[in-house]
Amino acid sequence: MSLLKGKTAIITGASKGIGKGIAEVFVKNGANLAFTYLSSVERGQALEKELKEHGTQVKGYRSDASKMEDAEDLVAQVIEDFGVIDIVVNNAGITKDTLLMRMTEEDFNRVIEVNLNSVFNMTKSVQRTFLKQRAGSIVNISSVVGVKGNAGQANYSASKAGIIGFTKSVALELGSRNIRCNAIAPGFIETEMTAVLDETTVSQWREGIPLKRGGSPEDVANACLFLASDLSNYISGQVLNVCGGMLT
Ligand code: NAP
């Protein structure tokens, strides 16, 4: 398949997990790809090398998604390197899980900064480019817990619910300029983010999923491919749950 042939995409936080899965599916579909990482520098560099083997233009950038200045610099640099941006996938995210009783202000604010401010930072920074070209697709990675909440994740759930409100508002504001904005709400996806959970919690999650398994980064990446590509040209302002049937 080459659903993204000739298109240039930016993915934030692609050094591992879901972001890496999206990066792999995008280049296999012909995309030119700019991606970011923050702490996993070696993994980011190794990924750049690996992805280049597919024959499209690929470059990794060290950039902190929670900082507006970094987002602005990134967009300017990608325009210089690639000439164009057609797709932005806001994937970078962290957890700092704990019950509200123990959650510090710092735990709350950092999760909001990395998960939610990052989406604002990138969308704001790429807006002018998309408006000029009268085209663009933005895909924001939210979560099922942003839709339904989760005990022990008040900060994370708030950030992911915020992404949904932001996505719908941007879709309304920019739709007349042919700019689409959608969100994906993954369920339980087996990555390093979920590897920190104990085995009992993991089996409880799996048991509660109608498809009886955790999802893979590729499961999310395929949904992201659809929303990024022209196959979804008439879809905007939507939240696509990729959760094995957890949310109905
Ligand atoms: P992960 O394996 O922990 O990967 C997170 C990625 O985000 C890494 O590449 C990390 O890069 C990057 N990142 C973190 N902070 C960053 C920052 N400030 N600036 C730039 N990049 C940053 O997590 P994952 O499971 O793949 O999750 C990816 C996204 O899916 C997140 O938004 C997460 O909330 C969402 N999600 C995950 C699940 C799940 O079950 N796994 C479910 C629903 C939603 P470095 O390591 O280089 O810092």
Side-chain angles (χ1 to χ4, degrees), residues 13 15-18 37-40 63-65 91 141-143 156 160 186-187 189 191 193-194:
S15 51
K16 56 193 181 197
I18 293 173
Y37 49 86
L38 184 58
S39 53
S40 313
S63 179
D64 186 344
N91 166 79
I141 307 299
S142 175
S143 167
Y156 182 80
K160 294 298 180 179
I189 310 299
T191 67
M193 185 177 272
T194 48

mmCIF file with all atom_site columns, all heavy atoms in Angstrom, residues 13 15-18 37-40 63-65 91 141-143 156 160 186-187 189 191 193-194, ligand 1:
data_model
loop_
_atom_site.group_PDB
_atom_site.id
_atom_site.type_symbol
_atom_site.label_atom_id
_atom_site.label_alt_id
_atom_site.label_comp_id
_atom_site.label_asym_id
_atom_site.label_entity_id
_atom_site.label_seq_id
_atom_site.pdbx_PDB_ins_code
_atom_site.Cartn_x
_atom_site.Cartn_y
_atom_site.Cartn_z
_atom_site.occupancy
_atom_site.B_iso_or_equiv
_atom_site.pdbx_formal_charge
_atom_site.auth_seq_id
_atom_site.auth_comp_id
_atom_site.auth_asym_id
_atom_site.auth_atom_id
_atom_site.pdbx_PDB_model_num
ATOM   1   N N   . GLY A 1 13  ? 7.082  12.103 19.540 1.00 0.00 ? 13  GLY A N   1
ATOM   2   C CA  . GLY A 1 13  ? 7.299  10.973 20.458 1.00 0.00 ? 13  GLY A CA  1
ATOM   3   C C   . GLY A 1 13  ? 7.275  9.634  19.751 1.00 0.00 ? 13  GLY A C   1
ATOM   4   O O   . GLY A 1 13  ? 6.476  8.761  20.075 1.00 0.00 ? 13  GLY A O   1
ATOM   5   N N   . SER A 1 15  ? 10.100 7.567  19.427 1.00 0.00 ? 15  SER A N   1
ATOM   6   C CA  . SER A 1 15  ? 11.265 6.722  19.710 1.00 0.00 ? 15  SER A CA  1
ATOM   7   C C   . SER A 1 15  ? 10.876 5.312  20.143 1.00 0.00 ? 15  SER A C   1
ATOM   8   O O   . SER A 1 15  ? 11.680 4.391  20.068 1.00 0.00 ? 15  SER A O   1
ATOM   9   C CB  . SER A 1 15  ? 12.129 7.379  20.792 1.00 0.00 ? 15  SER A CB  1
ATOM   10  O OG  . SER A 1 15  ? 11.338 7.742  21.906 1.00 0.00 ? 15  SER A OG  1
ATOM   11  N N   . LYS A 1 16  ? 9.631  5.140  20.589 1.00 0.00 ? 16  LYS A N   1
ATOM   12  C CA  . LYS A 1 16  ? 9.192  3.808  21.023 1.00 0.00 ? 16  LYS A CA  1
ATOM   13  C C   . LYS A 1 16  ? 7.665  3.718  20.986 1.00 0.00 ? 16  LYS A C   1
ATOM   14  O O   . LYS A 1 16  ? 6.984  4.701  20.684 1.00 0.00 ? 16  LYS A O   1
ATOM   15  C CB  . LYS A 1 16  ? 9.721  3.510  22.420 1.00 0.00 ? 16  LYS A CB  1
ATOM   16  C CG  . LYS A 1 16  ? 9.343  4.530  23.464 1.00 0.00 ? 16  LYS A CG  1
ATOM   17  C CD  . LYS A 1 16  ? 10.168 4.336  24.733 1.00 0.00 ? 16  LYS A CD  1
ATOM   18  C CE  . LYS A 1 16  ? 9.761  5.335  25.786 1.00 0.00 ? 16  LYS A CE  1
ATOM   19  N NZ  . LYS A 1 16  ? 10.701 5.494  26.858 1.00 0.00 ? 16  LYS A NZ  1
ATOM   20  N N   . GLY A 1 17  ? 7.158  2.519  21.319 1.00 0.00 ? 17  GLY A N   1
ATOM   21  C CA  . GLY A 1 17  ? 5.721  2.329  21.513 1.00 0.00 ? 17  GLY A CA  1
ATOM   22  C C   . GLY A 1 17  ? 4.859  2.672  20.312 1.00 0.00 ? 17  GLY A C   1
ATOM   23  O O   . GLY A 1 17  ? 5.195  2.376  19.170 1.00 0.00 ? 17  GLY A O   1
ATOM   24  N N   . ILE A 1 18  ? 3.732  3.322  20.605 1.00 0.00 ? 18  ILE A N   1
ATOM   25  C CA  . ILE A 1 18  ? 2.732  3.616  19.574 1.00 0.00 ? 18  ILE A CA  1
ATOM   26  C C   . ILE A 1 18  ? 3.301  4.563  18.507 1.00 0.00 ? 18  ILE A C   1
ATOM   27  O O   . ILE A 1 18  ? 3.084  4.360  17.308 1.00 0.00 ? 18  ILE A O   1
ATOM   28  C CB  . ILE A 1 18  ? 1.467  4.231  20.241 1.00 0.00 ? 18  ILE A CB  1
ATOM   29  C CG1 . ILE A 1 18  ? 0.783  3.159  21.110 1.00 0.00 ? 18  ILE A CG1 1
ATOM   30  C CG2 . ILE A 1 18  ? 0.501  4.769  19.196 1.00 0.00 ? 18  ILE A CG2 1
ATOM   31  C CD1 . ILE A 1 18  ? -0.374 3.675  21.966 1.00 0.00 ? 18  ILE A CD1 1
ATOM   32  N N   . TYR A 1 37  ? 11.765 12.859 19.421 1.00 0.00 ? 37  TYR A N   1
ATOM   33  C CA  . TYR A 1 37  ? 12.002 12.094 20.646 1.00 0.00 ? 37  TYR A CA  1
ATOM   34  C C   . TYR A 1 37  ? 12.554 13.094 21.653 1.00 0.00 ? 37  TYR A C   1
ATOM   35  O O   . TYR A 1 37  ? 12.913 14.222 21.277 1.00 0.00 ? 37  TYR A O   1
ATOM   36  C CB  . TYR A 1 37  ? 12.991 10.945 20.401 1.00 0.00 ? 37  TYR A CB  1
ATOM   37  C CG  . TYR A 1 37  ? 14.240 11.363 19.669 1.00 0.00 ? 37  TYR A CG  1
ATOM   38  C CD1 . TYR A 1 37  ? 15.346 11.870 20.358 1.00 0.00 ? 37  TYR A CD1 1
ATOM   39  C CD2 . TYR A 1 37  ? 14.314 11.295 18.277 1.00 0.00 ? 37  TYR A CD2 1
ATOM   40  C CE1 . TYR A 1 37  ? 16.488 12.271 19.685 1.00 0.00 ? 37  TYR A CE1 1
ATOM   41  C CE2 . TYR A 1 37  ? 15.452 11.707 17.593 1.00 0.00 ? 37  TYR A CE2 1
ATOM   42  C CZ  . TYR A 1 37  ? 16.526 12.193 18.305 1.00 0.00 ? 37  TYR A CZ  1
ATOM   43  O OH  . TYR A 1 37  ? 17.644 12.615 17.635 1.00 0.00 ? 37  TYR A OH  1
ATOM   44  N N   . LEU A 1 38  ? 12.626 12.699 22.916 1.00 0.00 ? 38  LEU A N   1
ATOM   45  C CA  . LEU A 1 38  ? 13.200 13.615 23.897 1.00 0.00 ? 38  LEU A CA  1
ATOM   46  C C   . LEU A 1 38  ? 14.333 12.954 24.666 1.00 0.00 ? 38  LEU A C   1
ATOM   47  O O   . LEU A 1 38  ? 15.498 13.281 24.467 1.00 0.00 ? 38  LEU A O   1
ATOM   48  C CB  . LEU A 1 38  ? 12.119 14.139 24.857 1.00 0.00 ? 38  LEU A CB  1
ATOM   49  C CG  . LEU A 1 38  ? 12.616 15.181 25.857 1.00 0.00 ? 38  LEU A CG  1
ATOM   50  C CD1 . LEU A 1 38  ? 13.224 16.382 25.159 1.00 0.00 ? 38  LEU A CD1 1
ATOM   51  C CD2 . LEU A 1 38  ? 11.502 15.617 26.792 1.00 0.00 ? 38  LEU A CD2 1
ATOM   52  N N   . SER A 1 39  ? 14.004 11.936 25.505 1.00 0.00 ? 39  SER A N   1
ATOM   53  C CA  . SER A 1 39  ? 15.071 11.339 26.322 1.00 0.00 ? 39  SER A CA  1
ATOM   54  C C   . SER A 1 39  ? 15.734 10.150 25.613 1.00 0.00 ? 39  SER A C   1
ATOM   55  O O   . SER A 1 39  ? 16.901 9.863  25.858 1.00 0.00 ? 39  SER A O   1
ATOM   56  C CB  . SER A 1 39  ? 14.523 10.926 27.685 1.00 0.00 ? 39  SER A CB  1
ATOM   57  O OG  . SER A 1 39  ? 13.403 10.106 27.524 1.00 0.00 ? 39  SER A OG  1
ATOM   58  N N   . SER A 1 40  ? 15.011 9.462  24.731 1.00 0.00 ? 40  SER A N   1
ATOM   59  C CA  . SER A 1 40  ? 15.566 8.256  24.091 1.00 0.00 ? 40  SER A CA  1
ATOM   60  C C   . SER A 1 40  ? 16.344 8.606  22.823 1.00 0.00 ? 40  SER A C   1
ATOM   61  O O   . SER A 1 40  ? 15.926 8.271  21.707 1.00 0.00 ? 40  SER A O   1
ATOM   62  C CB  . SER A 1 40  ? 14.441 7.279  23.751 1.00 0.00 ? 40  SER A CB  1
ATOM   63  O OG  . SER A 1 40  ? 13.580 7.111  24.842 1.00 0.00 ? 40  SER A OG  1
ATOM   64  N N   . SER A 1 63  ? 13.232 17.108 20.396 1.00 0.00 ? 63  SER A N   1
ATOM   65  C CA  . SER A 1 63  ? 12.360 18.261 20.603 1.00 0.00 ? 63  SER A CA  1
ATOM   66  C C   . SER A 1 63  ? 11.396 17.962 21.745 1.00 0.00 ? 63  SER A C   1
ATOM   67  O O   . SER A 1 63  ? 10.797 16.883 21.788 1.00 0.00 ? 63  SER A O   1
ATOM   68  C CB  . SER A 1 63  ? 11.585 18.513 19.296 1.00 0.00 ? 63  SER A CB  1
ATOM   69  O OG  . SER A 1 63  ? 10.708 19.593 19.417 1.00 0.00 ? 63  SER A OG  1
ATOM   70  N N   . ASP A 1 64  ? 11.243 18.904 22.659 1.00 0.00 ? 64  ASP A N   1
ATOM   71  C CA  . ASP A 1 64  ? 10.342 18.698 23.802 1.00 0.00 ? 64  ASP A CA  1
ATOM   72  C C   . ASP A 1 64  ? 8.946  19.197 23.430 1.00 0.00 ? 64  ASP A C   1
ATOM   73  O O   . ASP A 1 64  ? 8.711  20.407 23.314 1.00 0.00 ? 64  ASP A O   1
ATOM   74  C CB  . ASP A 1 64  ? 10.891 19.465 25.017 1.00 0.00 ? 64  ASP A CB  1
ATOM   75  C CG  . ASP A 1 64  ? 10.082 19.188 26.275 1.00 0.00 ? 64  ASP A CG  1
ATOM   76  O OD1 . ASP A 1 64  ? 8.950  18.667 26.172 1.00 0.00 ? 64  ASP A OD1 1
ATOM   77  O OD2 . ASP A 1 64  ? 10.581 19.500 27.375 1.00 0.00 ? 64  ASP A OD2 1
ATOM   78  N N   . ALA A 1 65  ? 8.025  18.252 23.280 1.00 0.00 ? 65  ALA A N   1
ATOM   79  C CA  . ALA A 1 65  ? 6.670  18.585 22.827 1.00 0.00 ? 65  ALA A CA  1
ATOM   80  C C   . ALA A 1 65  ? 5.937  19.504 23.804 1.00 0.00 ? 65  ALA A C   1
ATOM   81  O O   . ALA A 1 65  ? 4.996  20.200 23.414 1.00 0.00 ? 65  ALA A O   1
ATOM   82  C CB  . ALA A 1 65  ? 5.872  17.300 22.616 1.00 0.00 ? 65  ALA A CB  1
ATOM   83  N N   . ASN A 1 91  ? 1.402  12.530 19.309 1.00 0.00 ? 91  ASN A N   1
ATOM   84  C CA  . ASN A 1 91  ? 1.417  11.255 20.030 1.00 0.00 ? 91  ASN A CA  1
ATOM   85  C C   . ASN A 1 91  ? 2.154  11.313 21.362 1.00 0.00 ? 91  ASN A C   1
ATOM   86  O O   . ASN A 1 91  ? 1.852  10.528 22.259 1.00 0.00 ? 91  ASN A O   1
ATOM   87  C CB  . ASN A 1 91  ? 2.060  10.191 19.120 1.00 0.00 ? 91  ASN A CB  1
ATOM   88  C CG  . ASN A 1 91  ? 2.426  8.943  19.883 1.00 0.00 ? 91  ASN A CG  1
ATOM   89  O OD1 . ASN A 1 91  ? 1.570  8.103  20.176 1.00 0.00 ? 91  ASN A OD1 1
ATOM   90  N ND2 . ASN A 1 91  ? 3.707  8.797  20.240 1.00 0.00 ? 91  ASN A ND2 1
ATOM   91  N N   . ILE A 1 141 ? -3.514 11.771 19.623 1.00 0.00 ? 141 ILE A N   1
ATOM   92  C CA  . ILE A 1 141 ? -3.677 10.505 20.346 1.00 0.00 ? 141 ILE A CA  1
ATOM   93  C C   . ILE A 1 141 ? -4.202 10.799 21.753 1.00 0.00 ? 141 ILE A C   1
ATOM   94  O O   . ILE A 1 141 ? -3.475 11.281 22.624 1.00 0.00 ? 141 ILE A O   1
ATOM   95  C CB  . ILE A 1 141 ? -2.344 9.702  20.401 1.00 0.00 ? 141 ILE A CB  1
ATOM   96  C CG1 . ILE A 1 141 ? -1.762 9.512  18.979 1.00 0.00 ? 141 ILE A CG1 1
ATOM   97  C CG2 . ILE A 1 141 ? -2.593 8.348  21.074 1.00 0.00 ? 141 ILE A CG2 1
ATOM   98  C CD1 . ILE A 1 141 ? -2.624 8.750  17.991 1.00 0.00 ? 141 ILE A CD1 1
ATOM   99  N N   . SER A 1 142 ? -5.475 10.501 21.942 1.00 0.00 ? 142 SER A N   1
ATOM   100 C CA  . SER A 1 142 ? -6.130 10.642 23.243 1.00 0.00 ? 142 SER A CA  1
ATOM   101 C C   . SER A 1 142 ? -6.073 9.286  23.940 1.00 0.00 ? 142 SER A C   1
ATOM   102 O O   . SER A 1 142 ? -5.063 8.564  23.847 1.00 0.00 ? 142 SER A O   1
ATOM   103 C CB  . SER A 1 142 ? -7.570 11.129 23.022 1.00 0.00 ? 142 SER A CB  1
ATOM   104 O OG  . SER A 1 142 ? -8.274 11.179 24.231 1.00 0.00 ? 142 SER A OG  1
ATOM   105 N N   . SER A 1 143 ? -7.143 8.867  24.593 1.00 0.00 ? 143 SER A N   1
ATOM   106 C CA  . SER A 1 143 ? -7.177 7.567  25.269 1.00 0.00 ? 143 SER A CA  1
ATOM   107 C C   . SER A 1 143 ? -8.621 7.255  25.676 1.00 0.00 ? 143 SER A C   1
ATOM   108 O O   . SER A 1 143 ? -9.407 8.185  25.903 1.00 0.00 ? 143 SER A O   1
ATOM   109 C CB  . SER A 1 143 ? -6.315 7.626  26.536 1.00 0.00 ? 143 SER A CB  1
ATOM   110 O OG  . SER A 1 143 ? -6.567 6.501  27.358 1.00 0.00 ? 143 SER A OG  1
ATOM   111 N N   . TYR A 1 156 ? -3.886 12.211 34.018 1.00 0.00 ? 156 TYR A N   1
ATOM   112 C CA  . TYR A 1 156 ? -3.792 11.664 32.656 1.00 0.00 ? 156 TYR A CA  1
ATOM   113 C C   . TYR A 1 156 ? -5.155 11.722 31.950 1.00 0.00 ? 156 TYR A C   1
ATOM   114 O O   . TYR A 1 156 ? -5.250 12.158 30.796 1.00 0.00 ? 156 TYR A O   1
ATOM   115 C CB  . TYR A 1 156 ? -3.287 10.224 32.760 1.00 0.00 ? 156 TYR A CB  1
ATOM   116 C CG  . TYR A 1 156 ? -3.075 9.509  31.453 1.00 0.00 ? 156 TYR A CG  1
ATOM   117 C CD1 . TYR A 1 156 ? -1.917 9.726  30.699 1.00 0.00 ? 156 TYR A CD1 1
ATOM   118 C CD2 . TYR A 1 156 ? -4.005 8.596  30.972 1.00 0.00 ? 156 TYR A CD2 1
ATOM   119 C CE1 . TYR A 1 156 ? -1.715 9.056  29.506 1.00 0.00 ? 156 TYR A CE1 1
ATOM   120 C CE2 . TYR A 1 156 ? -3.809 7.915  29.788 1.00 0.00 ? 156 TYR A CE2 1
ATOM   121 C CZ  . TYR A 1 156 ? -2.658 8.141  29.051 1.00 0.00 ? 156 TYR A CZ  1
ATOM   122 O OH  . TYR A 1 156 ? -2.460 7.475  27.867 1.00 0.00 ? 156 TYR A OH  1
ATOM   123 N N   . LYS A 1 160 ? -6.253 13.753 28.545 1.00 0.00 ? 160 LYS A N   1
ATOM   124 C CA  . LYS A 1 160 ? -6.755 13.058 27.348 1.00 0.00 ? 160 LYS A CA  1
ATOM   125 C C   . LYS A 1 160 ? -8.165 13.516 26.991 1.00 0.00 ? 160 LYS A C   1
ATOM   126 O O   . LYS A 1 160 ? -8.546 13.533 25.822 1.00 0.00 ? 160 LYS A O   1
ATOM   127 C CB  . LYS A 1 160 ? -6.702 11.538 27.574 1.00 0.00 ? 160 LYS A CB  1
ATOM   128 C CG  . LYS A 1 160 ? -5.268 10.999 27.713 1.00 0.00 ? 160 LYS A CG  1
ATOM   129 C CD  . LYS A 1 160 ? -4.471 11.253 26.451 1.00 0.00 ? 160 LYS A CD  1
ATOM   130 C CE  . LYS A 1 160 ? -3.053 10.749 26.522 1.00 0.00 ? 160 LYS A CE  1
ATOM   131 N NZ  . LYS A 1 160 ? -2.298 10.980 25.271 1.00 0.00 ? 160 LYS A NZ  1
ATOM   132 N N   . PRO A 1 186 ? -6.969 5.139  22.040 1.00 0.00 ? 186 PRO A N   1
ATOM   133 C CA  . PRO A 1 186 ? -6.552 3.745  22.209 1.00 0.00 ? 186 PRO A CA  1
ATOM   134 C C   . PRO A 1 186 ? -7.017 3.213  23.563 1.00 0.00 ? 186 PRO A C   1
ATOM   135 O O   . PRO A 1 186 ? -7.138 3.973  24.531 1.00 0.00 ? 186 PRO A O   1
ATOM   136 C CB  . PRO A 1 186 ? -5.015 3.807  22.159 1.00 0.00 ? 186 PRO A CB  1
ATOM   137 C CG  . PRO A 1 186 ? -4.675 5.158  21.627 1.00 0.00 ? 186 PRO A CG  1
ATOM   138 C CD  . PRO A 1 186 ? -5.802 6.041  22.038 1.00 0.00 ? 186 PRO A CD  1
ATOM   139 N N   . GLY A 1 187 ? -7.246 1.915  23.609 1.00 0.00 ? 187 GLY A N   1
ATOM   140 C CA  . GLY A 1 187 ? -7.590 1.263  24.874 1.00 0.00 ? 187 GLY A CA  1
ATOM   141 C C   . GLY A 1 187 ? -6.307 0.833  25.558 1.00 0.00 ? 187 GLY A C   1
ATOM   142 O O   . GLY A 1 187 ? -5.404 1.652  25.769 1.00 0.00 ? 187 GLY A O   1
ATOM   143 N N   . ILE A 1 189 ? -2.976 -0.724 25.237 1.00 0.00 ? 189 ILE A N   1
ATOM   144 C CA  . ILE A 1 189 ? -2.014 -1.070 24.182 1.00 0.00 ? 189 ILE A CA  1
ATOM   145 C C   . ILE A 1 189 ? -0.719 -1.502 24.871 1.00 0.00 ? 189 ILE A C   1
ATOM   146 O O   . ILE A 1 189 ? -0.218 -0.794 25.755 1.00 0.00 ? 189 ILE A O   1
ATOM   147 C CB  . ILE A 1 189 ? -1.750 0.135  23.244 1.00 0.00 ? 189 ILE A CB  1
ATOM   148 C CG1 . ILE A 1 189 ? -3.071 0.760  22.741 1.00 0.00 ? 189 ILE A CG1 1
ATOM   149 C CG2 . ILE A 1 189 ? -0.858 -0.280 22.071 1.00 0.00 ? 189 ILE A CG2 1
ATOM   150 C CD1 . ILE A 1 189 ? -3.985 -0.125 21.946 1.00 0.00 ? 189 ILE A CD1 1
ATOM   151 N N   . THR A 1 191 ? 2.752  -1.533 25.497 1.00 0.00 ? 191 THR A N   1
ATOM   152 C CA  . THR A 1 191 ? 3.985  -0.789 25.200 1.00 0.00 ? 191 THR A CA  1
ATOM   153 C C   . THR A 1 191 ? 4.743  -0.611 26.516 1.00 0.00 ? 191 THR A C   1
ATOM   154 O O   . THR A 1 191 ? 4.298  -1.097 27.556 1.00 0.00 ? 191 THR A O   1
ATOM   155 C CB  . THR A 1 191 ? 3.670  0.625  24.655 1.00 0.00 ? 191 THR A CB  1
ATOM   156 O OG1 . THR A 1 191 ? 3.065  1.390  25.714 1.00 0.00 ? 191 THR A OG1 1
ATOM   157 C CG2 . THR A 1 191 ? 2.752  0.592  23.446 1.00 0.00 ? 191 THR A CG2 1
ATOM   158 N N   . MET A 1 193 ? 4.806  1.971  28.217 1.00 0.00 ? 193 MET A N   1
ATOM   159 C CA  . MET A 1 193 ? 3.957  2.745  29.129 1.00 0.00 ? 193 MET A CA  1
ATOM   160 C C   . MET A 1 193 ? 3.123  1.807  30.002 1.00 0.00 ? 193 MET A C   1
ATOM   161 O O   . MET A 1 193 ? 2.909  2.064  31.181 1.00 0.00 ? 193 MET A O   1
ATOM   162 C CB  . MET A 1 193 ? 3.041  3.688  28.336 1.00 0.00 ? 193 MET A CB  1
ATOM   163 C CG  . MET A 1 193 ? 2.224  4.617  29.195 1.00 0.00 ? 193 MET A CG  1
ATOM   164 S SD  . MET A 1 193 ? 1.223  5.779  28.257 1.00 0.00 ? 193 MET A SD  1
ATOM   165 C CE  . MET A 1 193 ? 2.345  7.139  28.030 1.00 0.00 ? 193 MET A CE  1
ATOM   166 N N   . THR A 1 194 ? 2.645  0.700  29.420 1.00 0.00 ? 194 THR A N   1
ATOM   167 C CA  . THR A 1 194 ? 1.798  -0.225 30.180 1.00 0.00 ? 194 THR A CA  1
ATOM   168 C C   . THR A 1 194 ? 2.635  -1.344 30.819 1.00 0.00 ? 194 THR A C   1
ATOM   169 O O   . THR A 1 194 ? 2.153  -2.045 31.701 1.00 0.00 ? 194 THR A O   1
ATOM   170 C CB  . THR A 1 194 ? 0.706  -0.833 29.270 1.00 0.00 ? 194 THR A CB  1
ATOM   171 O OG1 . THR A 1 194 ? 1.311  -1.298 28.066 1.00 0.00 ? 194 THR A OG1 1
ATOM   172 C CG2 . THR A 1 194 ? -0.357 0.175  28.935 1.00 0.00 ? 194 THR A CG2 1
HETATM 173 P P1  . NAP B 2 .   ? 5.700  5.136  25.520 1.00 0.00 ? 1   NAP B P1  1
HETATM 174 O O1  . NAP B 2 .   ? 6.069  3.777  25.045 1.00 0.00 ? 1   NAP B O1  1
HETATM 175 O O2  . NAP B 2 .   ? 6.036  5.540  26.904 1.00 0.00 ? 1   NAP B O2  1
HETATM 176 O O3  . NAP B 2 .   ? 6.236  6.223  24.482 1.00 0.00 ? 1   NAP B O3  1
HETATM 177 C C1  . NAP B 2 .   ? 6.028  7.596  24.710 1.00 0.00 ? 1   NAP B C1  1
HETATM 178 C C2  . NAP B 2 .   ? 6.723  8.403  23.639 1.00 0.00 ? 1   NAP B C2  1
HETATM 179 O O4  . NAP B 2 .   ? 6.483  9.800  23.904 1.00 0.00 ? 1   NAP B O4  1
HETATM 180 C C3  . NAP B 2 .   ? 8.221  8.189  23.621 1.00 0.00 ? 1   NAP B C3  1
HETATM 181 O O5  . NAP B 2 .   ? 8.676  8.155  22.299 1.00 0.00 ? 1   NAP B O5  1
HETATM 182 C C4  . NAP B 2 .   ? 8.752  9.449  24.334 1.00 0.00 ? 1   NAP B C4  1
HETATM 183 O O6  . NAP B 2 .   ? 10.020 9.857  23.849 1.00 0.00 ? 1   NAP B O6  1
HETATM 184 C C5  . NAP B 2 .   ? 7.731  10.466 23.910 1.00 0.00 ? 1   NAP B C5  1
HETATM 185 N N1  . NAP B 2 .   ? 7.711  11.625 24.802 1.00 0.00 ? 1   NAP B N1  1
HETATM 186 C C6  . NAP B 2 .   ? 7.398  11.657 26.119 1.00 0.00 ? 1   NAP B C6  1
HETATM 187 N N2  . NAP B 2 .   ? 7.508  12.938 26.576 1.00 0.00 ? 1   NAP B N2  1
HETATM 188 C C7  . NAP B 2 .   ? 7.895  13.700 25.522 1.00 0.00 ? 1   NAP B C7  1
HETATM 189 C C8  . NAP B 2 .   ? 8.168  15.078 25.344 1.00 0.00 ? 1   NAP B C8  1
HETATM 190 N N3  . NAP B 2 .   ? 8.053  15.954 26.354 1.00 0.00 ? 1   NAP B N3  1
HETATM 191 N N4  . NAP B 2 .   ? 8.537  15.511 24.108 1.00 0.00 ? 1   NAP B N4  1
HETATM 192 C C9  . NAP B 2 .   ? 8.652  14.653 23.084 1.00 0.00 ? 1   NAP B C9  1
HETATM 193 N N5  . NAP B 2 .   ? 8.410  13.337 23.185 1.00 0.00 ? 1   NAP B N5  1
HETATM 194 C C10 . NAP B 2 .   ? 8.033  12.865 24.395 1.00 0.00 ? 1   NAP B C10 1
HETATM 195 O O7  . NAP B 2 .   ? 4.091  5.337  25.430 1.00 0.00 ? 1   NAP B O7  1
HETATM 196 P P2  . NAP B 2 .   ? 3.016  4.734  24.400 1.00 0.00 ? 1   NAP B P2  1
HETATM 197 O O8  . NAP B 2 .   ? 2.277  3.678  25.112 1.00 0.00 ? 1   NAP B O8  1
HETATM 198 O O9  . NAP B 2 .   ? 3.635  4.463  23.081 1.00 0.00 ? 1   NAP B O9  1
HETATM 199 O O10 . NAP B 2 .   ? 2.037  6.001  24.287 1.00 0.00 ? 1   NAP B O10 1
HETATM 200 C C11 . NAP B 2 .   ? 2.016  6.874  23.145 1.00 0.00 ? 1   NAP B C11 1
HETATM 201 C C12 . NAP B 2 .   ? 0.769  7.738  23.217 1.00 0.00 ? 1   NAP B C12 1
HETATM 202 O O11 . NAP B 2 .   ? -0.396 6.903  23.251 1.00 0.00 ? 1   NAP B O11 1
HETATM 203 C C13 . NAP B 2 .   ? 0.694  8.601  24.484 1.00 0.00 ? 1   NAP B C13 1
HETATM 204 O O12 . NAP B 2 .   ? 0.103  9.849  24.192 1.00 0.00 ? 1   NAP B O12 1
HETATM 205 C C14 . NAP B 2 .   ? -0.212 7.794  25.385 1.00 0.00 ? 1   NAP B C14 1
HETATM 206 O O13 . NAP B 2 .   ? -0.843 8.611  26.345 1.00 0.00 ? 1   NAP B O13 1
HETATM 207 C C15 . NAP B 2 .   ? -1.189 7.235  24.365 1.00 0.00 ? 1   NAP B C15 1
HETATM 208 N N6  . NAP B 2 .   ? -1.922 6.053  24.829 1.00 0.00 ? 1   NAP B N6  1
HETATM 209 C C16 . NAP B 2 .   ? -1.273 4.901  25.191 1.00 0.00 ? 1   NAP B C16 1
HETATM 210 C C17 . NAP B 2 .   ? -2.003 3.819  25.610 1.00 0.00 ? 1   NAP B C17 1
HETATM 211 C C18 . NAP B 2 .   ? -1.367 2.517  26.027 1.00 0.00 ? 1   NAP B C18 1
HETATM 212 O O14 . NAP B 2 .   ? -2.102 1.640  26.513 1.00 0.00 ? 1   NAP B O14 1
HETATM 213 N N7  . NAP B 2 .   ? -0.080 2.316  25.826 1.00 0.00 ? 1   NAP B N7  1
HETATM 214 C C19 . NAP B 2 .   ? -3.406 3.896  25.684 1.00 0.00 ? 1   NAP B C19 1
HETATM 215 C C20 . NAP B 2 .   ? -4.023 5.064  25.312 1.00 0.00 ? 1   NAP B C20 1
HETATM 216 C C21 . NAP B 2 .   ? -3.281 6.145  24.875 1.00 0.00 ? 1   NAP B C21 1
HETATM 217 P P3  . NAP B 2 .   ? 11.384 9.722  24.710 1.00 0.00 ? 1   NAP B P3  1
HETATM 218 O O15 . NAP B 2 .   ? 11.401 8.342  25.308 1.00 0.00 ? 1   NAP B O15 1
HETATM 219 O O16 . NAP B 2 .   ? 12.429 9.952  23.679 1.00 0.00 ? 1   NAP B O16 1
HETATM 220 O O17 . NAP B 2 .   ? 11.333 10.800 25.739 1.00 0.00 ? 1   NAP B O17 1
#
